[in-house]
Amino acid sequence: MSDRGSEQSSGDDPSSSISDEVWEQFLRDSERDIRKSAPKEPSARAREVTERLKRQQGEPAGWRTGPALQERERRAARRRKVWAVVGLPLAIAVAVVAMRPSLIPGDPFGSSSGTDTATTRLPDETAAPTAAPSAVAADTPTLAHPFAGSPALRWADGAAGIVLPKATALGAIPKGRVELALQQTKKLLVEANLNPEAVVGAHPDAALAVLDPKQPGVLDELDTGLRNPSKTHDPLSLFSRFDPEDVKLAGKVIKLRGRITFAKGKFEGVAVHADYTFVYPLVRNDGSTEVARTIVRRVIDTELPDPAHYQVTPGRLTLVSYNEDAGNSACDINDGYFHPRFPSDAATGSASPTGPAVDPYDRSRELRKGPQGCGTVSRT
């Protein structure tokens, strides 16, 4: 019988078909695989080396306390220190500006209080006003803002405020003669009231040059008033003048408001009517920064006669009439200059004007002829 035949017929004991050598090899292989997969206990030498490395390098840093986060925290601490130094002065400055925004140059918040900026100019005057200008904030004028607290803040600056009407022919009088009469009257107003040298006392030669020397007595009387001013010969009736040894203009701007019209005149010429109010900001010459304002209203009538009918100088004006009213100027001094009263004068005990108070900015009132008396002003 073969070996195979005997194996298949013995089904009662399975192990009887595996030899002892095979079974022993199986046991050895299983033990080896178990030892490979089991965790190994480090040797004493390995444990010693590991402990030494830990002591040299320190414990590994956690993700929340690593070098990157520590550096960020150091930078944040520096920023907090800088803001602690800057923040307090900045907070104080913001608080001060909030209480007094005018301290910032240029008035960045658009407030017109105490400044000459952020205001709109009034439209040109085209008809006689019916009332005085409205009240404005009672701001104190300064060298930087000499028109603060004045209705003139919205008035025109200098000669640009004398806007001439469009010239047209007057019957047989050509348009060119009308234009000449308007231009010459404007020149008289400018040279007598806005020329910076004449305003501070210089002889108003340019203004006198506009007037006709052939008009009897006019230039002689004006010249007498300029050379030897007195109560009866007062150059201030036509010229705005301030004593250069006493005061000077606060800045370069003189404000004004008014209108100019024309019609056919009595002497076959062009008659021009001008009504303007000039506002002069002034400071003393002693280094003071206190600002005062003198307000002068002038009503002037001129005519450019026809040289074909009258013995006149071609192109020169005839002075028909002129009247003035000055607010905030001493009325008991007749030296040919306006003398403004400053706010501090009340504290020095100097004499104050008497008489009824008038609003020098009120262009709706009629100017009286002759001496006006020594009145007071309701505002400057």
Side-chain angles (χ1 to χ4, degrees):
M1 252 183 338
S2 66
D3 293 334
R4 182 173 176 81
S6 65
E7 292 175 359
Q8 290 177 346
S9 61
S10 66
D12 296 335
D13 186 4
S15 63
S16 62
S17 62
I18 302 174
S19 65
D20 292 337
E21 291 81 7
V22 172
W23 180 252
E24 289 175 0
Q25 183 64 39
F26 170 77
L27 293 177
R28 286 194 298 271
D29 292 340
S30 298
E31 183 181 0
R32 184 179 65 250
D33 293 337
I34 291 172
R35 284 197 301 267
K36 287 182 178 181
S37 61
K40 296 180 180 180
E41 178 71 14
S43 66
R45 177 64 178 169
R47 288 195 299 270
E48 182 181 353
V49 171
T50 301
E51 290 297 328
R52 185 170 65 253
L53 290 174
K54 287 182 178 180
R55 288 192 299 270
Q56 293 175 351
Q57 299 177 0
E59 293 293 333
W63 71 274
R64 290 185 180 276
T65 59
L69 182 60
Q70 292 171 4
E71 178 61 24
R72 287 196 298 271
E73 289 179 347
R74 284 194 293 271
R75 288 197 297 268
R78 287 195 296 269
R79 287 195 297 269
R80 288 193 295 270
K81 184 176 181 180
V82 170
W83 278 109
V85 174
V86 176
L88 181 58
L90 181 61
I92 295 174
V94 170
V96 170
V97 170
M99 292 185 290
R100 295 188 63 187
S102 62
L103 293 176
I104 298 181
D107 196 13
F109 302 111
S111 169
S112 61
S113 176
T115 71
D116 290 354
T117 59
T119 58
T120 56
R121 174 181 159 179
L122 289 175
D124 294 329
E125 187 178 286
T126 57
T130 59
S134 301
V136 296
D139 292 328
T140 301
T142 63
L143 287 176
H145 307 291
F147 297 100
S150 166
L153 180 60
R154 299 183 61 195
W155 290 9
D157 295 357
I162 303 178
V163 180
L164 299 179
K166 183 179 180 180
T168 58
L170 294 171
I173 303 174
K175 175 183 175 181
R177 285 193 63 78
V178 174
E179 181 68 29
L180 179 60
L182 291 171
Q183 292 289 352
Q184 289 290 75
T185 302
K186 177 176 180 176
K187 185 176 181 180
L188 175 62
L189 290 169
V190 170
E191 298 299 339
N193 301 280
L194 298 173
N195 183 312
E197 294 181 357
V199 167
V200 293
H203 199 274
D205 294 320
L208 294 172
V210 176
L211 302 177
D212 191 348
K214 292 183 179 181
Q215 184 178 4
V218 172
L219 287 182
D220 289 339
E221 183 174 343
L222 292 174
D223 185 62
T224 298
L226 290 168
R227 288 186 294 105
N228 299 298
S230 64
K231 189 173 183 179
T232 56
H233 294 89
D234 188 1
L236 299 179
S237 59
L238 187 62
F239 307 107
S240 294
R241 307 173 76 234
F242 296 88
D243 188 349
E245 296 184 0
D246 182 25
V247 297
K248 61 183 177 180
L249 288 172
K252 298 181 180 180
V253 175
I254 298 171
K255 292 282 189 175
L256 73 154
R257 184 163 180 78
R259 65 193 183 280
I260 191 167
T261 58
F262 67 92
K264 189 173 182 178
K266 297 179 180 180
F267 307 105
E268 303 296 329
V270 184
V272 179
H273 177 78
D275 183 344
Y276 281 88
T277 300
F278 302 87
V279 183
Y280 302 91
L282 304 145
V283 293
R284 292 188 178 95
N285 271 335
D286 59 2
S288 170
T289 59
E290 186 180 28
V291 177
R293 290 186 290 255
T294 292
I295 303 94
V296 181
R297 183 181 174 188
R298 297 195 180 278
V299 177
I300 298 175
D301 289 289
T302 64
E303 185 165 345
L304 188 65
D306 184 353
H309 295 83
Y310 296 91
Q311 293 184 354
V312 294
T313 304
R316 299 290 189 93
L317 292 177
T318 293
L319 196 57
V320 178
S321 65
Y322 49 101
N323 196 10
E324 61 88 23
D325 183 31
N328 191 32
S329 177
C331 51
D332 55 351
I333 302 176
N334 299 294
D335 60 356
Y337 299 116
F338 290 123
H339 292 273
R341 179 178 174 82
F342 287 81
S344 62
D345 290 342
T348 62
S350 59
S352 299
T354 59
V358 296
D359 183 355
Y361 293 97
D362 184 3
R363 294 184 38 75
S364 67
R365 62 189 179 90
E366 292 287 338
L367 292 189
R368 293 174 296 171
K369 299 292 184 179
Q372 304 297 312
C374 191
T376 58
V377 291
S378 59
R379 56 179 171 176
T380 63

